[in-house]
Amino acid sequence: MSVASTGTRGHGVDGVEVRPAVGDDLSGVLSVGHRTWLATYEPLVGPEYVAMGLAKWWTSDVVAASIRKGRTIVAVDGDDVVGVATFGPQDDDFVLWKLYVLPDNHGNGVGSRLLDAVVERAVEGGHSRIVLSHIEGNAGAARFYARHGFTETHRESGGSDMPVSVWMERPLPSAEATGTEDAS
Ligand SMILES: CC(C)(COP(=O)(O)OP(=O)(O)OC[C@H]1O[C@@H](n2cnc3c(N)ncnc32)[C@H](O)[C@@H]1OP(=O)(O)O)[C@@H](O)C(=O)NCCC(=O)NCCS
């Protein structure tokens, strides 16, 4: 069963829909990324890091490519994208690259639903674990991932003037065990 084929189309009780992103979501995804990055990282690591990250990971080209490859999931409230998650391979790993929910929507379960959708993809793909990193000092993210079963594996220096990345992993059950199979 894929995210797109869930009977409810990913609608929650609050009316927020979680679904794979399409081309028309591009500006909404960019807006979530830019607004949430600024609010999260400027106080934590400063404006230079925010400018670098937005220029590297949140350009139209990068975001459109991820949408085109089917590696972006959005949470949508009416016409508004309020949260986004992206995933993809790195070597043998399945990586959750981005998980961002607009600050006004934090604490409403949107991040948990986006994470669940990404985990479902990883299980469907037959992966034995999902990995991610967050910046050292991002206490909200650390708490969120710990509550969702992730444990730290190692820390990676970002180099001069760059934040340290905290890498985490969560083991996954096999697709047979969960009854989900990749139909594609
Ligand atoms: C981390 C994040 C994706 C979680 O999404 P969310 O929709 O707020 O999460 P949920 O509502 O499903 O779960 C809430 C949990 O998230 C954590 N959390 C993190 N930041 C929070 C915030 N500002 N408000 C409320 N909860 C927050 C808490 O641990 C909370 O757990 P609790 O139930 O014990 O209070 C979201 O807060 C976010 O976008 N944060 C800023 C960007 C970021 O750090 N992203 C991760 C990058 S690696």
Side-chain angles (χ1 to χ4, degrees):
M1 184 171 65
S2 73
V3 172
S5 66
T6 46
T8 59
R9 287 286 300 161
H11 278 284
V13 284
D14 54 0
V16 172
E17 181 187 13
V18 172
R19 58 161 172 76
V22 296
D24 283 352
D25 295 317
L26 177 61
S27 63
V29 171
L30 286 169
S31 176
V32 168
H34 283 243
R35 288 157 70 188
T36 312
W37 254 69
L38 198 62
T40 305
Y41 296 129
E42 195 175 56
L44 208 55
V45 273
E48 291 83 10
Y49 179 78
V50 173
M52 180 285 298
L54 294 180
K56 189 171 176 183
W57 294 304
W58 290 99
T59 63
S60 290
D61 284 352
V62 169
V63 171
S66 174
I67 292 175
R68 213 168 34 242
K69 290 176 186 162
R71 294 177 183 164
T72 298
I73 294 172
V74 284
V76 183
D77 187 0
D79 290 336
D80 299 327
V81 178
V82 296
V84 57
T86 73
F87 57 89
Q90 185 181 59
D91 302 325
D92 289 338
D93 276 323
F94 181 102
V95 187
L96 170 63
W97 288 119
K98 296 172 178 165
L99 181 63
Y100 292 94
V101 174
L102 283 178
D104 284 354
N105 292 265
H106 288 179
N108 294 331
V110 173
S112 298
R113 289 177 58 200
L114 285 164
L115 177 59
D116 287 348
V118 173
V119 167
E120 190 178 297
R121 287 301 178 92
V123 171
E124 285 171 356
H127 297 274
S128 59
R129 67 172 193 162
I130 181 167
V131 303
L132 61 84
S133 70
H134 67 77
I135 286 175
E136 188 177 58
N138 187 350
R143 201 170 62 238
F144 175 84
Y145 292 129
R147 277 174 57 88
H148 286 83
F150 286 84
T151 53
E152 182 176 334
T153 54
H154 62 286
R155 294 187 179 216
E156 183 181 25
S157 163
S160 60
D161 293 336
M162 295 291 276
V164 169
S165 293
V166 179
W167 282 91
M168 307 182 88
E169 71 168 359
R170 172 173 152 180
L172 298 172
S174 69
E176 294 81 38
T178 59
T180 57
E181 281 175 39
D182 193 345
S184 60

